[in-house]
Amino acid sequence: MRTPITRVSITPIAFPDPPLLNSAGLHQPWALRSIVEVTAADGSVGLGESYGDAPHLELLGKVAPVLDGLDVFDLTGLRTRAAAAIGAADTPDRHGLTGPSSAAKTLARVVSPFEVALLDLQGQATGRPVWALLGGLVRDRVPFSGYLFYKWAAHPGAEPDDYGEALDPAGLVEQARRMVARYGFRSLKLKGGVLPPDDEIAAVEALREAFPEHPLRLDPNCAWTVETSVRVAEKTAGLLEYLEDPTPGLAGMAEVAAAVPMPLATNMCVVELGDLPEAVRRDSVQVVLADHHYWGGLTGSATLAAVCRTWGIGLSMHSNSHLGISLAAMVHLGAATPNLTYDADTHTPWQLGADVVTEPLSFVDGAVAVPHGPGLGVTLDRDALARMHADYLACGLRERDDTSYLRQFRPGFEKLRPRW
């Protein structure tokens, strides 16, 4: 029996974001997201979460009206209608931390929140959790990694957040201690590409001394040349679980991979399935970070996982600023993905308690227990949604731009890849 869609709504929201540094610049005071609600004829509502930048919102708005009457089980129809609605649109992000854009990647980003919402509806209709729709349970708990950032104590003119300043090894170690104490993370990742490489090597060494049993990762977002990447890898041999996107491009990554002792990971040079043949031929990467937000949803990410399994490539999950709907989707994907061989990334600690679901999933010993109720297993907090929408209207931001924001305080700053 068909279960047609009767209504789709998209609500742009904003929530406070700490002053986190990366190779592109500095996080602005507000993170932008969008909440998708898809209502079916039986009154059930499926939830999705996505980016909140104005160009992306415009494309989501083009897709929403063409989904009227679509069966919630028709994921092929979703992609077909979405492709017709947005045409050859290409809306790259301004920060460039997720690799090159294309019309295909734009379509994948646009389809994702609707696909998650439809899977949520399918689960509610069948009384099954989303992980069951993705192939079944392979783990009861999905482990995540603590995500460390160089950061200022506060945005200029604002009060410091609970994590305070972290601009040197001691500050990062203290940040990690707070995060591990609160969430129990069993592995740690540092967002690098911010300070000169020797300073970041010192940070890794300090983290290893403070956390001798925690796997460590370093992600400079293509801030280094091949030569610098090799030098850093040699200095951190035996310290890192993997080195993520040290240098731009599949060719550059292959040069580094041939010369270093640890695996290389990426979410910037393998961003479509079409990138994998060259990556395999060159042996450019040994770990790919999936992200359902830009791989076309949960089924697209499951396809990526299957291809990686075929070629013996490790798998983790990338994270951007996100709330509880996205976390739930990540947990269901992780629950059903046999070859999720590395702890997933999460920005949850950096949302500082903000969420849009009534009962956020919780971290215990660095992992989230897999929900067993129908669908995603989370419920929208409509009061929080209204507050965050009001913050969106008031904050004045309509597109994330880390580079321009940092230039307000460092006028000569340029986004360079590579920088060192």
Side-chain angles (χ1 to χ4, degrees), residues 318-388:
H318 169 263
S319 167
N320 204 332
S321 300
H322 67 81
L323 296 173
I325 299 170
S326 284
L327 178 61
M330 293 174 70
V331 169
H332 282 275
L333 179 61
T337 304
N339 58 320
L340 184 67
T341 42
Y342 296 90
D343 296 355
D345 295 346
T346 180
H347 275 63
T348 293
W350 297 114
Q351 310 329 148
L352 304 175
D355 216 326
V356 75
V357 297
T358 55
E359 296 182 12
L361 300 178
S362 59
F363 291 80
V364 177
D365 293 331
V368 176
V370 176
H372 284 259
L376 287 175
V378 293
T379 303
L380 189 62
D381 183 335
R382 296 202 172 276
D383 290 338
L385 181 71
R387 290 194 303 270
M388 292 183 186

Side-chain angles (χ1 to χ4, degrees), residues 1-319:
M1 184 174 68
R2 294 183 74 254
T3 307
I5 293 170
T6 58
R7 182 173 181 269
V8 178
S9 65
I10 301 161
T11 306
I13 62 172
F15 51 90
D17 203 10
L20 308 178
L21 291 154
N22 57 57
S23 70
L26 178 70
H27 282 214
Q28 295 157 292
W30 296 92
L32 305 177
R33 297 294 277 177
S34 55
I35 303 301
V36 169
E37 300 174 69
V38 178
T39 304
D42 63 1
S44 57
V45 178
L47 300 176
E49 179 185 332
S50 189
Y51 314 103
D53 303 279
H56 184 68
L57 285 170
E58 181 181 354
L59 296 181
L60 294 179
K62 289 182 177 181
V63 173
V66 306
L67 300 184
D68 186 55
L70 179 72
D71 183 7
V72 302
F73 287 86
D74 188 1
L75 298 184
T76 298
L78 163 64
R79 297 184 185 95
T80 300
R81 294 191 187 193
I86 71 171
D90 181 6
T91 56
D93 62 65
R94 293 287 293 274
H95 54 83
L97 298 177
T98 54
S101 184
S102 66
K105 288 311 299 177
T106 296
L107 176 61
R109 289 195 296 266
V110 170
V111 164
S112 175
F114 298 112
E115 187 245 32
V116 171
L118 263 58
L119 288 169
D120 190 13
L121 286 169
Q122 291 176 23
Q124 294 175 51
T126 60
R128 306 300 303 275
V130 166
W131 53 257
L133 306 176
L134 297 174
L137 194 69
V138 296
R139 57 181 61 84
D140 290 319
R141 301 167 69 253
V142 177
F144 287 83
S145 180
Y147 209 158
L148 309 177
F149 280 80
Y150 289 102
K151 66 182 293 290
W152 297 349
H155 291 282
E159 292 295 319
D161 58 56
D162 290 344
Y163 286 97
E165 182 179 272
L167 295 173
D168 58 21
L172 287 172
V173 168
E174 177 59 25
Q175 181 186 113
R177 290 192 192 282
R178 288 174 179 263
M179 200 173 285
V180 169
R182 180 171 181 181
Y183 296 93
F185 293 122
R186 303 293 182 90
S187 61
L188 297 167
K189 171 176 169 175
L190 172 60
K191 177 66 78 175
V194 174
L195 300 181
D198 286 339
D199 292 354
E200 297 188 353
I201 292 170
V204 170
E205 292 171 340
L207 288 167
R208 169 53 66 233
E209 182 176 357
F211 299 92
E213 303 301 323
H214 281 60
L216 301 178
R217 312 165 183 178
L218 177 60
D219 174 17
N221 284 121
C222 302
W224 305 333
T225 63
V226 168
E227 292 75 19
T228 298
S229 300
V230 171
R231 183 173 69 82
V232 173
E234 290 172 345
K235 294 282 188 179
T236 55
L239 304 180
L240 293 179
E241 180 181 34
Y242 62 63
L243 180 58
E244 182 179 336
D245 286 310
T247 201
L250 290 171
M253 290 281 281
E255 285 190 68
V256 177
V260 305
M262 71 282 288
L264 298 189
T266 187
N267 73 289
M268 296 184 69
C269 67
V270 174
V271 297
E272 299 184 53
L273 292 178
D275 296 326
L276 280 164
E278 181 181 353
V280 171
R281 178 173 60 82
R282 291 180 179 271
D283 195 22
S284 301
V285 299
Q286 293 73 50
V287 183
V288 171
L289 278 73
D291 184 331
H292 72 274
H293 300 94
Y294 69 81
W295 278 93
L298 300 179
T299 55
S301 297
T303 299
L304 169 66
V307 175
C308 287
R309 186 168 62 223
T310 299
W311 293 104
I313 296 173
L315 194 72
S316 184
M317 276 197 245
H318 169 263
S319 167

